[in-house]
Amino acid sequence: MKLFDVYPLIPVTITKAEGCKLWDDQGQEYIDLYGGHAVISIGHTHPHYVKRIKDQLDQIAFYSNSIQIPVQKEYAEKLGELSGYPEYELFLCNSGAEANENAIKLASFATGKSGFIAFSGGFHGRTSGAVALTDNPKIVAPCNAREDFQILPWGDLEAVEKRVKDGNIAGIIIEGIQGVNGIQVPSPEFLTGLAGIAKSYGVKLILDEVQSGFGRTGKFFAHQLVDGVEPDIISMAKGMGNGFPIGGILISPEFKATYGLLGTTFGGNHLACAAGLAVLEVIENENLLENATKLGEKLLAELKEVPGITAIRGTGLIIGIDLDREAGPVRSELVKKYHMFTGSAAGKNTIRLLPPLNIEWNQLNSFLTALKEILSQSPSS
């Protein structure tokens, strides 16, 4: 049997990882500036993370949500404390797409409506409802397409209010910072405007923090960079488990839970919650939000001085870099010659940086040196 070939692969086999370093099967060391799609939040094989999972594995790895699971409650309490949403409730699942599916479903249940609004450039997942709200027709199968799910222009509050006034809108979903689209940051006016429209018309505001959450911006969630925005639902995954599959939604107190409303077999299992707790504990104990803020500010300032860069976006350790040439060859050279992993984006000229939050300045500075050397050459050379 062969694997279903849906991923273009970098010709490197990673066999070991520690902190922000990777090693391939030939013993070559690399710097991880991408964290496997923003997943590695506290560094690879962090000792506390490994111990938490091993200790849990020695006790019980899994049982379904038909029994009491104290580590779930422990996780919820810690998450509420660190995120700044202690009054919200938590539903755990397994991935970002699944988190968004549950957010969409819950908003529809609460409003009795079926329509949703998303935005150009947005990415919310590849499953049925999430992909219908993702701005990429190539990955939307005919069975996914829905007329009552509409993608409106990024930043256009007038278009949003007009569509909401037309009726049958259950919710508005927006990324805290668009990731796949090259790190596009919504303006404070756009986010507060959406919150105002949602409140005025009884529409649920869903903040997709799957990529932009868990300290990546220097705030716990990206939308917390803007004062006065309190979503009805916040979806999470990626950095939540540092590589262990876990996702979830934070749910406003306005929603009422009933038995069977939402459900999952694997979501919130013992190992996932142990991994999640380890992430929160390391973020808190090692001051990783502060580290993301400090290093992000320094990196952004340095990038502004690099010839060949045409635009820079982001905050903290979620950064998009537009080049004066296609990014693919640059990223390839970073891997082959300089042994550094970076991320692609929807735009062909964009590099994404999403390193572990405990990365050190010397590692980021090595990237700056490498990028300068590559961009000092003509694109055709």
Side-chain angles (χ1 to χ4, degrees):
M1 182 183 291
K2 294 181 180 179
L3 295 173
F4 198 49
D5 188 10
V6 292
Y7 299 113
L9 301 180
I10 299 170
V12 175
T13 301
I14 298 299
T15 58
K16 181 183 174 183
E18 182 180 348
C20 299
K21 298 178 181 179
L22 307 166
W23 288 267
D24 68 16
D25 54 357
Q26 305 301 309
Q28 177 62 57
E29 182 181 310
Y30 298 79
I31 297 175
D32 186 5
L33 297 166
Y34 191 52
H37 301 311
V39 167
I40 302 300
S41 51
I42 60 169
H44 296 275
T45 58
H46 190 289
H48 181 66
Y49 174 81
V50 172
K51 186 177 187 304
R52 265 282 193 184
I53 294 175
K54 283 183 175 178
D55 288 349
Q56 183 61 59
L57 192 58
D58 285 338
Q59 298 171 44
I60 178 174
F62 173 81
Y63 203 79
S64 74
N65 286 293
S66 61
I67 60 163
Q68 295 189 53
I69 303 178
V71 71
Q72 285 185 351
K73 295 180 181 178
E74 186 182 356
Y75 180 70
E77 289 174 5
K78 192 68 176 176
L79 178 58
E81 174 193 339
L82 293 192
S83 70
Y85 284 100
E87 74 280 11
Y88 279 46
E89 294 182 335
L90 173 65
F91 176 77
L92 289 165
C93 52
N94 308 286
S95 69
E98 192 177 329
N100 283 329
E101 292 287 347
N102 281 287
I104 292 164
K105 184 177 183 181
L106 192 60
S108 184
F109 267 131
T111 61
K113 298 176 181 179
S114 65
F116 283 85
I117 292 169
F119 297 98
S120 56
F123 186 96
H124 301 289
R126 296 175 182 271
T127 49
S128 182
V131 80
L133 293 166
T134 290
D135 188 18
N136 184 352
K138 292 181 180 179
I139 65 171
V140 182
C143 66
N144 301 132
R146 294 188 52 152
E147 292 184 359
D148 53 353
F149 281 24
Q150 296 196 1
I151 296 173
L152 300 181
W154 177 258
D156 192 339
L157 288 172
E158 186 177 338
V160 173
E161 186 161 21
K162 182 178 184 300
R163 180 64 190 88
V164 169
K165 282 182 177 179
D166 289 343
N168 195 37
I169 296 298
I172 300 166
I173 186 168
I174 183 171
E175 291 164 270
I177 292 176
Q178 285 188 340
V180 173
N181 197 32
I183 316 302
Q184 304 293 335
V185 184
S187 70
E189 295 77 16
F190 187 36
L191 277 188
T192 55
L194 290 177
I197 291 170
K199 187 173 183 180
S200 295
Y201 293 93
V203 167
K204 302 304 180 185
L205 179 61
I206 302 168
L207 250 296
D208 179 342
E209 294 277 5
V210 169
Q211 186 168 134
S212 55
F214 277 72
R216 185 146 294 281
T217 63
K219 297 288 188 180
F220 198 88
F221 292 123
H223 72 267
Q224 291 170 322
L225 294 163
V226 179
D227 291 334
V229 176
E230 288 197 358
D232 297 290
I233 306 171
I234 303 165
S235 57
M236 315 165 294
K238 292 196 183 293
M240 192 174 180
N242 202 55
F244 199 100
I246 181 173
I249 53 175
L250 293 184
I251 304 163
S252 160
E254 295 180 5
F255 293 84
K256 179 175 174 54
T258 58
Y259 292 151
L261 186 72
L262 303 176
T264 173
T265 297
F266 296 107
N269 66 74
H270 297 75
L271 286 175
C273 288
L277 266 171
V279 168
L280 295 177
E281 289 161 352
V282 172
I283 285 174
E284 181 179 36
N285 295 336
E286 298 186 6
N287 300 312
L288 295 189
L289 272 66
E290 292 86 347
N291 193 57
T293 299
K294 180 181 70 174
L295 293 189
E297 288 175 352
K298 190 173 183 180
L299 180 59
L300 286 166
E302 293 283 345
L303 285 168
K304 289 176 182 177
E305 305 301 319
V306 178
I309 292 177
T310 60
I312 310 160
R313 295 173 299 279
T315 182
L317 293 175
I318 178 169
I319 295 173
I321 305 167
D322 289 350
L323 308 178
D324 62 358
R325 64 200 72 183
E326 287 199 9
V330 175
R331 292 181 60 241
S332 293
E333 189 168 355
L334 283 167
V335 172
K336 293 175 184 176
K337 183 176 180 180
Y338 299 94
H339 311 300
M340 299 176 184
F341 284 99
T342 57
S344 62
K348 290 184 178 181
N349 288 34
T350 304
I351 289 176
R352 272 189 295 165
L353 299 183
L354 297 154
L357 304 183
N358 55 357
I359 196 166
E360 298 174 358
W361 175 250
N362 67 309
Q363 294 168 318
L364 293 172
N365 195 46
S366 294
F367 165 73
L368 283 167
T369 300
L371 187 63
K372 288 175 186 176
E373 290 179 2
I374 295 171
L375 296 181
S376 67
Q377 307 165 27
S378 64
S380 58
S381 64

